[in-house]
Amino acid sequence: MIKIDALYMSLEKINKQMRVYELMDDEPEMKMKALENMIKEFDLIGDASLEGIKEATELLKKIGSEDISKKIEDVSNKIKE
């Protein structure tokens, strides 16, 4: 499942990068690096969230009835489109 601690750590890193970004007035290269770091952290959060959704979906398929599995599959197919 989703590791909440890892998400909080990523959010904290993003907050720190935002503060660093705000403190840099005339350093465009450093500002770009701070923005790149924030994007990487958001990407990690997104990846972790998607993995958690996949795991939760698989669990629902295992414990749910055929009707629930069919609905999950339909939703998954719509998301892929």
Side-chain angles (χ1 to χ4, degrees):
M1 296 309 268
I2 296 175
K3 295 180 175 108
I4 301 299
D5 291 342
L7 293 177
Y8 281 123
M9 288 173 50
S10 286
L11 290 172
E12 185 59 34
K13 288 178 186 177
I14 291 167
N15 281 331
K16 286 179 185 177
Q17 290 297 318
M18 287 173 60
R19 284 182 260 158
V20 167
Y21 180 86
E22 290 169 356
L23 293 174
M24 293 181 218
D25 289 330
D26 296 328
E27 299 184 44
E29 288 181 28
M30 294 301 289
K31 281 186 156 189
M32 285 299 293
K33 186 66 175 170
L35 290 172
E36 287 172 2
N37 289 339
M38 283 188 265
I39 290 168
K40 286 178 187 175
E41 290 301 322
F42 280 119
D43 192 37
L44 290 173
I45 290 170
D47 290 345
S49 298
L50 285 174
E51 192 60 36
I53 290 169
K54 288 177 186 177
E55 290 175 12
T57 300
E58 288 303 314
L59 286 173
L60 282 172
K61 285 181 181 180
K62 287 179 184 177
I63 62 171
S65 68
E66 287 184 10
D67 187 44
I68 291 174
S69 294
K70 173 105 174 81
K71 287 181 182 181
I72 291 171
E73 201 168 288
D74 290 346
V75 170
S76 295
N77 290 334
K78 286 180 184 178
I79 290 172
K80 290 178 185 177
E81 295 174 357

Coordinates of all heavy atoms in Angstrom, one line a residue:
M1 N 0.8 -1.2 0.0 CA 0.0 0.0 0.0 C 0.9 1.3 0.0 O 2.1 1.2 0.1 CB -0.9 0.0 1.2 CG -1.9 -1.2 1.3 SD -2.9 -1.3 -0.2 CE -4.3 -0.4 0.2
I2 N 0.3 2.4 -0.1 CA 1.0 3.7 -0.1 C 1.7 3.9 1.2 O 1.1 3.7 2.3 CB 0.0 4.8 -0.4 CG1 -0.6 4.6 -1.8 CG2 0.7 6.1 -0.3 CD1 -1.7 5.7 -2.1
K3 N 3.0 4.2 1.1 CA 3.8 4.6 2.2 C 3.6 6.0 2.6 O 4.2 6.9 1.9 CB 5.2 4.2 2.0 CG 5.4 2.7 1.8 CD 6.9 2.4 1.5 CE 7.1 1.0 1.5 NZ 7.4 0.5 0.2
I4 N 2.7 6.3 3.6 CA 2.4 7.7 3.9 C 3.6 8.5 4.3 O 3.7 9.6 4.0 CB 1.3 7.7 5.0 CG1 0.0 6.9 4.6 CG2 1.0 9.1 5.5 CD1 -0.6 7.5 3.4
D5 N 4.5 7.8 5.1 CA 5.7 8.5 5.5 C 6.5 9.1 4.3 O 7.0 10.2 4.4 CB 6.6 7.6 6.4 CG 6.0 7.3 7.7 OD1 5.0 8.0 8.1 OD2 6.4 6.4 8.4
A6 N 6.6 8.3 3.3 CA 7.3 8.7 2.1 C 6.7 9.9 1.4 O 7.3 10.8 1.0 CB 7.5 7.5 1.1
L7 N 5.3 9.9 1.4 CA 4.6 11.0 0.8 C 4.8 12.3 1.6 O 5.1 13.3 1.1 CB 3.1 10.7 0.8 CG 2.7 9.6 -0.2 CD1 1.2 9.3 -0.1 CD2 3.1 9.9 -1.6
Y8 N 4.8 12.2 3.0 CA 5.0 13.3 3.8 C 6.5 13.8 3.6 O 6.7 15.1 3.6 CB 4.8 13.0 5.3 CG 3.3 13.0 5.7 CD1 2.8 11.9 6.2 CD2 2.5 14.1 5.5 CE1 1.4 11.9 6.6 CE2 1.2 14.1 5.8 CZ 0.6 13.0 6.4 OH -0.7 13.0 6.7
M9 N 7.4 12.9 3.5 CA 8.8 13.4 3.3 C 8.9 14.1 1.9 O 9.6 15.1 1.9 CB 9.7 12.2 3.3 CG 9.9 11.6 4.7 SD 10.8 10.1 4.8 CE 12.3 10.4 3.9
S10 N 8.3 13.6 0.9 CA 8.3 14.3 -0.4 C 7.7 15.6 -0.3 O 8.2 16.6 -0.9 CB 7.6 13.4 -1.5 OG 8.4 12.3 -1.8
L11 N 6.5 15.7 0.4 CA 5.9 17.0 0.5 C 6.8 18.0 1.3 O 6.8 19.2 1.0 CB 4.5 16.9 1.2 CG 3.5 16.2 0.4 CD1 2.2 15.9 1.2 CD2 3.1 17.0 -0.8
E12 N 7.5 17.5 2.3 CA 8.4 18.4 3.1 C 9.5 18.9 2.2 O 9.9 20.0 2.2 CB 8.9 17.6 4.3 CG 9.8 18.5 5.2 CD 9.1 19.7 5.8 OE1 7.9 19.6 6.0 OE2 9.7 20.7 5.9
K13 N 10.1 18.0 1.3 CA 11.1 18.4 0.4 C 10.6 19.4 -0.5 O 11.3 20.4 -0.9 CB 11.6 17.2 -0.4 CG 12.5 16.2 0.4 CD 12.9 15.0 -0.4 CE 13.6 14.0 0.4 NZ 13.9 12.8 -0.4
I14 N 9.4 19.3 -1.0 CA 8.8 20.3 -1.9 C 8.7 21.6 -1.2 O 9.0 22.7 -1.8 CB 7.4 19.8 -2.5 CG1 7.7 18.6 -3.4 CG2 6.7 20.9 -3.2 CD1 6.4 17.9 -3.8
N15 N 8.2 21.6 0.0 CA 8.1 22.9 0.8 C 9.5 23.5 1.0 O 9.6 24.8 0.8 CB 7.5 22.6 2.2 CG 6.0 22.5 2.1 OD1 5.3 23.0 1.2 ND2 5.4 21.7 3.0
K16 N 10.5 22.8 1.3 CA 11.8 23.3 1.4 C 12.3 23.9 0.1 O 12.9 25.0 0.1 CB 12.8 22.3 1.9 CG 12.6 21.9 3.3 CD 13.6 20.8 3.8 CE 13.3 20.3 5.2 NZ 14.2 19.2 5.6
Q17 N 12.1 23.2 -1.0 CA 12.5 23.7 -2.3 C 11.7 25.0 -2.7 O 12.3 25.9 -3.3 CB 12.3 22.7 -3.4 CG 13.2 21.5 -3.3 CD 14.7 21.9 -3.5 OE1 15.0 22.8 -4.4 NE2 15.6 21.4 -2.7
M18 N 10.5 25.1 -2.3 CA 9.7 26.3 -2.5 C 10.3 27.5 -1.7 O 10.4 28.6 -2.3 CB 8.2 26.1 -2.2 CG 7.5 25.2 -3.2 SD 5.8 24.8 -2.7 CE 5.0 26.3 -2.6
R19 N 10.7 27.2 -0.5 CA 11.3 28.3 0.3 C 12.6 28.7 -0.3 O 12.9 29.9 -0.3 CB 11.5 27.9 1.8 CG 10.1 27.9 2.5 CD 10.3 27.5 4.0 NE 9.9 26.1 4.0 CZ 10.2 25.2 4.8 NH1 11.0 25.5 5.8 NH2 9.8 24.0 4.8
V20 N 13.4 27.8 -0.7 CA 14.7 28.1 -1.3 C 14.5 28.9 -2.6 O 15.1 29.9 -2.8 CB 15.5 26.8 -1.7 CG1 16.7 27.1 -2.6 CG2 16.0 26.1 -0.4
Y21 N 13.5 28.5 -3.4 CA 13.2 29.2 -4.6 C 12.8 30.7 -4.3 O 13.3 31.6 -5.0 CB 12.0 28.5 -5.3 CG 11.6 29.2 -6.6 CD1 12.3 28.9 -7.8 CD2 10.6 30.1 -6.7 CE1 11.9 29.5 -9.0 CE2 10.3 30.7 -7.9 CZ 10.9 30.4 -9.0 OH 10.6 31.0 -10.2
E22 N 12.0 30.9 -3.3 CA 11.6 32.2 -3.0 C 12.7 33.1 -2.5 O 12.7 34.3 -2.7 CB 10.5 32.2 -1.9 CG 9.2 31.6 -2.5 CD 8.1 31.3 -1.4 OE1 8.5 31.5 -0.2 OE2 7.0 30.9 -1.7
L23 N 13.7 32.5 -1.9 CA 14.9 33.3 -1.4 C 15.9 33.7 -2.5 O 16.7 34.6 -2.3 CB 15.6 32.5 -0.3 CG 14.8 32.3 1.0 CD1 15.6 31.3 1.9 CD2 14.5 33.6 1.7
M24 N 15.9 33.0 -3.6 CA 16.8 33.3 -4.7 C 16.2 34.4 -5.5 O 15.3 34.2 -6.2 CB 17.1 32.1 -5.5 CG 17.8 31.0 -4.8 SD 18.0 29.6 -5.9 CE 17.7 28.3 -4.8
D25 N 16.9 35.5 -5.5 CA 16.4 36.7 -6.4 C 17.0 36.6 -7.8 O 16.2 36.6 -8.7 CB 16.8 38.0 -5.7 CG 16.0 38.3 -4.5 OD1 14.9 37.8 -4.4 OD2 16.6 38.9 -3.6
D26 N 18.3 36.6 -7.9 CA 18.9 36.8 -9.2 C 19.8 35.6 -9.6 O 20.8 35.7 -10.2 CB 19.8 38.0 -9.3 CG 19.0 39.3 -9.1 OD1 17.8 39.3 -9.5 OD2 19.5 40.3 -8.5
E27 N 19.3 34.4 -9.3 CA 20.0 33.2 -9.6 C 19.1 32.2 -10.4 O 18.6 31.3 -9.9 CB 20.5 32.5 -8.3 CG 21.5 33.4 -7.5 CD 22.0 32.6 -6.3 OE1 22.4 31.5 -6.5 OE2 22.1 33.3 -5.3
P28 N 19.0 32.5 -11.7 CA 18.1 31.7 -12.5 C 18.4 30.2 -12.5 O 17.6 29.3 -12.6 CB 18.1 32.3 -13.9 CG 19.2 33.3 -13.9 CD 19.6 33.6 -12.5
E29 N 19.7 29.9 -12.6 CA 20.1 28.5 -12.6 C 19.7 27.7 -11.3 O 19.3 26.6 -11.4 CB 21.6 28.4 -12.8 CG 22.1 28.7 -14.3 CD 23.6 28.6 -14.5 OE1 24.2 27.7 -13.8 OE2 24.1 29.3 -15.3
M30 N 19.9 28.4 -10.2 CA 19.5 27.8 -8.9 C 18.0 27.7 -8.8 O 17.5 26.7 -8.3 CB 20.1 28.6 -7.8 CG 21.6 28.5 -7.7 SD 22.3 26.9 -7.5 CE 21.8 26.5 -5.9
K31 N 17.3 28.6 -9.4 CA 15.8 28.6 -9.3 C 15.4 27.4 -10.2 O 14.4 26.7 -9.8 CB 15.2 29.9 -9.9 CG 15.2 31.0 -8.9 CD 14.5 32.2 -9.4 CE 14.0 33.0 -8.3 NZ 13.1 34.1 -8.7
M32 N 16.0 27.2 -11.3 CA 15.6 26.1 -12.2 C 15.9 24.8 -11.5 O 15.1 23.8 -11.6 CB 16.4 26.1 -13.5 CG 15.9 27.2 -14.5 SD 14.2 26.9 -15.0 CE 14.3 25.4 -15.9
K33 N 17.0 24.7 -10.8 CA 17.3 23.4 -10.1 C 16.3 23.2 -9.0 O 15.8 22.0 -8.8 CB 18.7 23.5 -9.5 CG 19.2 22.3 -8.8 CD 19.4 21.2 -9.9 CE 20.0 20.0 -9.2 NZ 20.0 18.8 -10.1
A34 N 15.9 24.2 -8.3 CA 14.8 24.1 -7.2 C 13.5 23.6 -7.9 O 12.9 22.7 -7.3 CB 14.6 25.4 -6.5
L35 N 13.2 24.1 -9.0 CA 11.9 23.7 -9.7 C 12.0 22.3 -10.2 O 11.1 21.5 -10.1 CB 11.6 24.7 -10.9 CG 11.2 26.1 -10.5 CD1 11.1 26.9 -11.8 CD2 9.9 26.1 -9.8
E36 N 13.2 21.9 -10.7 CA 13.4 20.5 -11.1 C 13.3 19.6 -10.0 O 12.7 18.5 -10.1 CB 14.8 20.4 -11.8 CG 14.9 21.0 -13.1 CD 16.3 21.0 -13.7 OE1 17.2 20.5 -13.0 OE2 16.5 21.5 -14.8
N37 N 13.8 19.9 -8.8 CA 13.7 19.1 -7.6 C 12.2 18.9 -7.2 O 11.8 17.8 -6.8 CB 14.5 19.6 -6.5 CG 16.0 19.5 -6.7 OD1 16.4 18.6 -7.5 ND2 16.8 20.3 -6.1
M38 N 11.5 20.0 -7.3 CA 10.0 19.9 -6.9 C 9.3 19.0 -7.8 O 8.5 18.2 -7.4 CB 9.4 21.3 -6.9 CG 9.7 22.2 -5.7 SD 8.8 23.7 -5.7 CE 10.0 24.8 -6.5
I39 N 9.6 19.1 -9.1 CA 8.9 18.3 -10.1 C 9.2 16.8 -9.9 O 8.4 16.0 -10.0 CB 9.3 18.7 -11.6 CG1 8.7 20.1 -11.9 CG2 8.9 17.7 -12.6 CD1 9.2 20.8 -13.1
K40 N 10.5 16.5 -9.6 CA 10.9 15.1 -9.3 C 10.1 14.6 -8.1 O 9.6 13.4 -8.1 CB 12.4 15.0 -9.0 CG 13.2 15.2 -10.2 CD 14.7 15.1 -9.9 CE 15.6 15.4 -11.1 NZ 17.0 15.5 -10.7
E41 N 9.9 15.4 -7.0 CA 9.2 14.9 -5.9 C 7.7 14.7 -6.2 O 7.1 13.7 -5.7 CB 9.4 15.9 -4.7 CG 10.7 15.9 -4.1 CD 11.2 14.6 -3.6 OE1 10.4 13.8 -3.0 OE2 12.4 14.3 -3.7
F42 N 7.1 15.6 -7.0 CA 5.7 15.4 -7.4 C 5.6 14.2 -8.2 O 4.6 13.4 -8.1 CB 5.2 16.6 -8.2 CG 4.8 17.8 -7.3 CD1 5.4 19.0 -7.5 CD2 3.8 17.7 -6.4 CE1 5.0 20.1 -6.7 CE2 3.4 18.7 -5.6 CZ 4.0 20.0 -5.8
D43 N 6.6 13.9 -9.0 CA 6.6 12.7 -9.8 C 6.6 11.4 -9.0 O 5.9 10.5 -9.2 CB 7.7 12.7 -10.8 CG 7.6 11.6 -11.9 OD1 6.5 11.4 -12.4 OD2 8.7 11.1 -12.3
L44 N 7.5 11.5 -7.9 CA 7.5 10.3 -7.0 C 6.2 10.1 -6.3 O 5.8 9.0 -6.1 CB 8.7 10.6 -6.0 CG 10.1 10.5 -6.5 CD1 11.1 10.9 -5.4 CD2 10.4 9.1 -7.0
I45 N 5.6 11.2 -5.9 CA 4.3 11.1 -5.2 C 3.2 10.5 -6.1 O 2.5 9.6 -5.8 CB 3.8 12.5 -4.7 CG1 4.7 13.0 -3.6 CG2 2.3 12.5 -4.3 CD1 4.5 14.5 -3.2
G46 N 3.2 10.9 -7.4 CA 2.3 10.4 -8.4 C 2.5 8.9 -8.6 O 1.6 8.1 -8.6
D47 N 3.8 8.5 -8.7 CA 4.1 7.1 -8.9 C 3.6 6.3 -7.7 O 3.1 5.2 -7.9 CB 5.6 6.9 -9.1 CG 6.1 7.5 -10.5 OD1 5.2 7.7 -11.3 OD2 7.3 7.6 -10.6
A48 N 3.9 6.8 -6.5 CA 3.5 6.0 -5.3 C 2.0 5.9 -5.2 O 1.4 4.9 -4.9 CB 4.1 6.7 -4.1
S49 N 1.3 7.0 -5.6 CA -0.2 7.0 -5.6 C -0.7 6.0 -6.6 O -1.7 5.2 -6.3 CB -0.7 8.4 -5.8 OG -0.3 9.3 -4.8
L50 N -0.2 6.0 -7.8 CA -0.7 5.0 -8.8 C -0.4 3.6 -8.4 O -1.3 2.7 -8.6 CB 0.0 5.3 -10.1 CG -0.5 6.5 -10.9 CD1 0.4 6.8 -12.1 CD2 -1.9 6.4 -11.3
E51 N 0.7 3.4 -7.8 CA 1.0 2.0 -7.3 C 0.0 1.6 -6.2 O -0.5 0.5 -6.2 CB 2.4 1.9 -6.8 CG 2.9 0.5 -6.5 CD 2.9 -0.4 -7.8 OE1 3.2 0.1 -8.9 OE2 2.6 -1.6 -7.6
G52 N -0.3 2.5 -5.3 CA -1.3 2.2 -4.3 C -2.7 2.0 -4.9 O -3.4 1.1 -4.4
I53 N -3.1 2.7 -5.9 CA -4.4 2.5 -6.6 C -4.4 1.1 -7.2 O -5.4 0.4 -7.1 CB -4.6 3.6 -7.6 CG1 -4.9 4.9 -6.9 CG2 -5.8 3.2 -8.5 CD1 -4.9 6.1 -7.8
K54 N -3.3 0.7 -7.8 CA -3.2 -0.6 -8.5 C -3.4 -1.7 -7.4 O -4.1 -2.7 -7.6 CB -1.9 -0.8 -9.2 CG -1.8 0.0 -10.5 CD -0.4 -0.2 -11.1 CE -0.3 0.7 -12.3 NZ 1.1 0.6 -12.9
E55 N -2.6 -1.6 -6.3 CA -2.7 -2.6 -5.2 C -4.1 -2.7 -4.6 O -4.6 -3.8 -4.4 CB -1.7 -2.3 -4.2 CG -0.3 -2.5 -4.6 CD 0.7 -2.0 -3.5 OE1 0.4 -1.8 -2.4 OE2 1.9 -1.9 -3.9
A56 N -4.7 -1.5 -4.4 CA -6.1 -1.5 -3.8 C -7.1 -2.1 -4.8 O -8.0 -2.9 -4.4 CB -6.5 -0.1 -3.5
T57 N -6.9 -1.9 -6.1 CA -7.8 -2.5 -7.1 C -7.6 -4.0 -7.1 O -8.6 -4.7 -7.2 CB -7.4 -1.9 -8.5 OG1 -7.6 -0.5 -8.5 CG2 -8.3 -2.4 -9.6
E58 N -6.4 -4.4 -7.1 CA -6.2 -5.9 -7.1 C -6.8 -6.5 -5.8 O -7.4 -7.6 -5.9 CB -4.7 -6.2 -7.1 CG -4.0 -5.9 -8.4 CD -4.7 -6.7 -9.6 OE1 -5.0 -7.9 -9.4 OE2 -5.0 -6.1 -10.6
L59 N -6.7 -5.9 -4.7 CA -7.3 -6.4 -3.5 C -8.9 -6.5 -3.6 O -9.5 -7.4 -3.2 CB -7.0 -5.6 -2.2 CG -5.5 -5.7 -1.7 CD1 -5.2 -4.7 -0.6 CD2 -5.3 -7.1 -1.2
L60 N -9.4 -5.4 -4.2 CA -10.9 -5.4 -4.4 C -11.3 -6.5 -5.3 O -12.3 -7.1 -5.1 CB -11.3 -4.0 -4.9 CG -11.4 -2.9 -3.9 CD1 -11.7 -1.6 -4.6 CD2 -12.5 -3.2 -2.9
K61 N -10.5 -6.7 -6.3 CA -10.8 -7.8 -7.3 C -10.8 -9.2 -6.6 O -11.6 -10.0 -6.8 CB -9.9 -7.8 -8.4 CG -10.1 -6.8 -9.4 CD -9.1 -6.9 -10.6 CE -9.3 -5.8 -11.6 NZ -8.3 -5.9 -12.7
K62 N -9.9 -9.4 -5.6 CA -9.8 -10.6 -4.9 C -10.9 -10.8 -4.0 O -11.4 -12.0 -3.8 CB -8.4 -10.7 -4.2 CG -7.2 -10.8 -5.0 CD -6.0 -10.9 -4.2 CE -4.7 -10.9 -5.1 NZ -3.5 -10.9 -4.4
I63 N -11.3 -9.8 -3.3 CA -12.4 -10.0 -2.3 C -13.8 -9.7 -2.8 O -14.7 -10.0 -2.1 CB -12.1 -9.1 -1.0 CG1 -12.1 -7.6 -1.4 CG2 -10.8 -9.5 -0.4 CD1 -12.1 -6.7 -0.2
G64 N -13.9 -9.0 -3.9 CA -15.2 -8.6 -4.4 C -15.9 -9.7 -5.2 O -15.3 -10.7 -5.6
S65 N -17.1 -9.4 -5.5 CA -17.9 -10.3 -6.3 C -17.5 -10.1 -7.8 O -16.8 -9.2 -8.1 CB -19.3 -10.1 -6.1 OG -19.7 -8.8 -6.6
E66 N -18.0 -10.9 -8.7 CA -17.7 -10.7 -10.1 C -18.3 -9.4 -10.6 O -17.6 -8.7 -11.4 CB -18.4 -11.8 -10.9 CG -17.7 -13.2 -10.8 CD -18.3 -14.2 -11.7 OE1 -19.1 -13.9 -12.5 OE2 -17.9 -15.4 -11.5
D67 N -19.4 -8.9 -10.0 CA -19.9 -7.6 -10.4 C -19.0 -6.5 -10.0 O -18.8 -5.6 -10.9 CB -21.3 -7.4 -9.7 CG -22.0 -6.2 -10.2 OD1 -22.0 -6.0 -11.4 OD2 -22.5 -5.4 -9.3
I68 N -18.4 -6.5 -8.8 CA -17.5 -5.5 -8.4 C -16.2 -5.6 -9.3 O -15.7 -4.5 -9.8 CB -17.1 -5.7 -6.9 CG1 -18.3 -5.3 -6.1 CG2 -15.9 -4.8 -6.6 CD1 -18.1 -5.6 -4.6
S69 N -15.7 -6.7 -9.6 CA -14.5 -6.9 -10.5 C -14.8 -6.3 -11.8 O -13.9 -5.7 -12.4 CB -14.1 -8.4 -10.6 OG -13.7 -8.9 -9.3
K70 N -16.0 -6.6 -12.4 CA -16.4 -6.0 -13.7 C -16.4 -4.5 -13.7 O -15.9 -3.9 -14.6 CB -17.7 -6.6 -14.1 CG -18.3 -6.0 -15.4 CD -18.2 -7.0 -16.5 CE -18.9 -6.4 -17.7 NZ -18.1 -5.5 -18.5
K71 N -17.0 -3.9 -12.6 CA -17.0 -2.5 -12.5 C -15.6 -1.9 -12.4 O -15.3 -0.9 -13.0 CB -17.9 -2.0 -11.3 CG -19.4 -2.3 -11.6 CD -20.2 -1.8 -10.4 CE -21.7 -2.1 -10.7 NZ -22.5 -1.7 -9.6
I72 N -14.8 -2.5 -11.6 CA -13.4 -2.0 -11.5 C -12.7 -2.1 -12.8 O -12.0 -1.2 -13.2 CB -12.6 -2.8 -10.4 CG1 -13.2 -2.5 -9.0 CG2 -11.1 -2.6 -10.5 CD1 -12.7 -3.5 -7.9
E73 N -12.9 -3.2 -13.5 CA -12.3 -3.3 -14.9 C -12.8 -2.3 -15.8 O -12.0 -1.7 -16.6 CB -12.6 -4.7 -15.4 CG -11.6 -5.2 -16.4 CD -11.8 -6.7 -16.7 OE1 -11.4 -7.5 -15.8 OE2 -12.3 -7.0 -17.8
D74 N -14.1 -2.0 -15.8 CA -14.6 -1.0 -16.7 C -14.0 0.4 -16.4 O -13.7 1.1 -17.3 CB -16.2 -0.9 -16.5 CG -16.9 -2.1 -17.1 OD1 -16.2 -2.9 -17.8 OD2 -18.1 -2.3 -16.7
V75 N -13.9 0.7 -15.1 CA -13.3 2.0 -14.7 C -11.9 2.1 -15.1 O -11.4 3.1 -15.7 CB -13.5 2.2 -13.2 CG1 -12.6 3.4 -12.7 CG2 -14.9 2.4 -12.8
S76 N -11.1 1.0 -14.9 CA -9.7 0.9 -15.3 C -9.6 1.1 -16.8 O -8.7 1.8 -17.3 CB -9.1 -0.4 -14.9 OG -9.1 -0.6 -13.5
N77 N -10.5 0.5 -17.6 CA -10.4 0.7 -19.0 C -10.7 2.1 -19.5 O -10.1 2.6 -20.4 CB -11.4 -0.3 -19.7 CG -10.9 -1.7 -19.6 OD1 -9.7 -2.0 -19.5 ND2 -11.8 -2.7 -19.7
K78 N -11.6 2.8 -18.8 CA -12.0 4.2 -19.1 C -10.8 5.1 -18.8 O -10.5 6.0 -19.5 CB -13.2 4.6 -18.3 CG -14.5 4.0 -18.9 CD -15.7 4.4 -18.1 CE -17.0 3.7 -18.6 NZ -18.2 4.1 -17.8
I79 N -10.1 4.8 -17.7 CA -8.9 5.6 -17.3 C -7.8 5.5 -18.3 O -7.2 6.4 -18.7 CB -8.4 5.2 -15.9 CG1 -9.4 5.6 -14.8 CG2 -7.1 5.8 -15.6 CD1 -9.1 5.1 -13.4
K80 N -7.6 4.3 -18.8 CA -6.6 4.0 -19.8 C -6.9 4.8 -21.1 O -6.0 5.1 -21.9 CB -6.4 2.5 -20.1 CG -5.8 1.8 -18.9 CD -5.7 0.3 -19.2 CE -5.3 -0.4 -18.0 NZ -5.3 -1.9 -18.2
E81 N -8.2 5.0 -21.4 CA -8.5 5.6 -22.7 C -8.2 7.0 -22.6 O -7.8 7.9 -22.8 CB -10.0 5.5 -23.0 CG -10.4 4.0 -23.2 CD -11.9 3.9 -23.3 OE1 -12.7 4.8 -23.1 OE2 -12.4 2.7 -23.5

